[in-house]
Amino acid sequence: MMTYKTYPTIQTSDCKCHKPPLLFSDYKSRLVGIDTTNGRYGEVTIEKCVHCKSRWLHYLVEYESFSRSGRWYRGLISKKTIKTITPENAVDVLKSLEWYLYGGSYFSSTGQKGQGRVNVDR
């Protein structure tokens, strides 16, 4: 059984960045890199809400050869946690969070709240 490092819990706010559907224009993004684990080629970014300044780990993956395979995860993280994130550990960070938001064509959803398992592999 794998154990994951735990990261500080950050509380939900009333800002619209905590409530799907989400708009890309509500964030400033910085690319961390591409996670090539298991051939995923998942895009890992750190996003900062332009309204409340919350910081989010965002993971996006899509398999071009499969329709309705696009999925994203967005987890609220602390400024301290940002320094520890790499493309290769981003999924583990998301799994360790108390909650995250997820959606995409794979889930037929513009966003919902979840926790635990992060389904990014084919």
Side-chain angles (χ1 to χ4, degrees):
M1 181 172 155
M2 290 185 77
T3 58
Y4 300 103
K5 181 177 178 178
T6 57
Y7 292 88
T9 300
I10 299 174
Q11 299 301 315
T12 303
S13 83
D14 291 331
C15 184
K16 62 184 180 176
C17 74
H18 291 251
K19 301 173 198 127
L22 307 169
L23 299 173
F24 77 93
S25 58
D26 289 329
Y27 303 90
K28 298 250 184 218
S29 296
R30 177 179 59 86
L31 180 66
V32 174
I34 304 298
D35 176 19
T36 59
T37 306
N38 296 333
R40 291 182 198 139
Y41 296 96
E43 182 179 283
V44 179
T45 56
I46 301 298
E47 298 185 336
K48 186 174 182 180
C49 176
V50 298
H51 307 288
C52 72
K53 309 303 182 215
S54 292
R55 291 169 178 83
W56 297 85
L57 169 59
H58 185 253
Y59 192 100
L60 172 68
V61 67
E62 183 171 20
Y63 298 100
E64 293 177 8
S65 58
F66 297 96
S67 62
R68 303 187 53 78
S69 67
R71 57 201 96 170
W72 57 263
Y73 291 84
R74 178 179 272 122
L76 195 57
I77 55 173
S78 69
K79 191 173 183 179
K80 183 178 177 182
T81 301
I82 291 171
K83 297 173 187 174
T84 68
I85 293 174
T86 65
E88 296 76 21
N89 76 3
V91 170
D92 288 339
V93 171
L94 286 164
K95 287 179 186 177
S96 75
L97 298 175
E98 189 174 308
W99 60 273
Y100 51 72
L101 300 173
Y102 70 98
S105 61
Y106 180 81
F107 300 109
S108 298
S109 173
T110 58
Q112 51 195 330
K113 196 172 182 179
Q115 66 184 67
R117 185 168 186 248
V118 174
N119 187 2
V120 292
D121 292 313
R122 284 183 261 183

